Amino acid sequence: MPRIRSILSLLLVAVAIFCVSCGGQKASIPTTYAPEKIEQLQVLVEPIEEAKENFDVLKGFIADENWIDTRTYIHGPLGGLRQEMSSLTRSLLPKDQKEAKNLSQALFTDLERLDAAAKERNSAVAQRQYRKAVDDLQSFLDLVPKS
């Protein structure tokens, strides 16, 4: 009798393992944006679009060679941009996340170089890095689907 119980319990464990491993569907990754997701992304993109509109202030500081305000603006009003962009990147579809992450990293590299150029009071480099930053930010915003 104890031997039959052992065999039955082993058989029951084997059936349970088989059922658990074969059961259930794999979660499918969406390939398109649902209208609800687009609405959510539009809420997340608003602060980034506001920051893009405010880049003209930074352009004015660079044109005036006002290096202290240039550096302050990069670290102040544009300081929260990294967090906003990271949040939006995580909300994108997996197929878009890698490119969004690369573009945001490129943007912040441009801003770091712009900050260094402002520290060195180098107008030519600052203007070049500003243009790159604006282009990278626009490319990032182009990834976000519109409603």
Side-chain angles (χ1 to χ4, degrees):
M1 191 69 162
R3 186 175 176 152
I4 293 176
R5 282 188 202 167
S6 307
I7 293 172
L8 265 168
S9 62
L10 283 175
L11 185 61
L12 185 59
V13 167
V15 169
I17 290 173
F18 179 75
C19 288
V20 169
S21 66
C22 293
Q25 294 180 334
K26 282 191 170 184
S28 62
I29 298 172
T31 56
T32 58
Y33 291 98
E36 300 83 24
K37 184 69 169 180
I38 292 175
E39 287 177 22
Q40 178 189 17
L41 291 174
Q42 292 306 312
V43 170
L44 293 172
V45 82
E46 285 177 13
I48 300 169
E49 288 176 338
E50 285 178 23
K52 184 182 181 298
E53 292 170 7
N54 293 334
F55 258 63
D56 289 337
V57 174
L58 185 60
K59 182 179 183 178
F61 290 149
I62 294 168
D64 295 341
E65 296 186 2
N66 186 343
W67 305 120
I68 293 172
D69 286 342
T70 299
R71 295 188 72 209
T72 301
Y73 198 80
I74 291 170
H75 295 282
L78 297 180
L81 191 57
R82 184 180 306 254
Q83 181 180 1
E84 300 291 341
M85 290 177 75
S86 294
S87 177
L88 179 60
T89 298
R90 287 189 301 272
S91 297
L92 293 172
L93 291 178
K95 66 178 182 165
D96 296 331
Q97 285 182 0
K98 184 175 182 177
E99 186 176 356
K101 185 176 181 182
N102 290 340
L103 286 169
S104 64
Q105 287 175 341
L107 170 65
F108 292 109
T109 299
D110 297 337
L111 289 175
E112 288 168 6
R113 290 178 180 161
L114 174 56
D115 184 50
K119 186 175 184 179
E120 296 170 1
R121 301 175 184 270
N122 188 335
S123 181
V125 173
Q127 289 177 0
R128 184 171 55 246
Q129 292 304 317
Y130 171 80
R131 283 190 299 275
K132 284 183 177 181
V134 169
D135 291 343
D136 288 337
L137 183 56
Q138 185 58 53
S139 297
F140 180 87
L141 290 171
D142 290 342
L143 281 177
V144 180
K146 306 293 185 250
S147 53

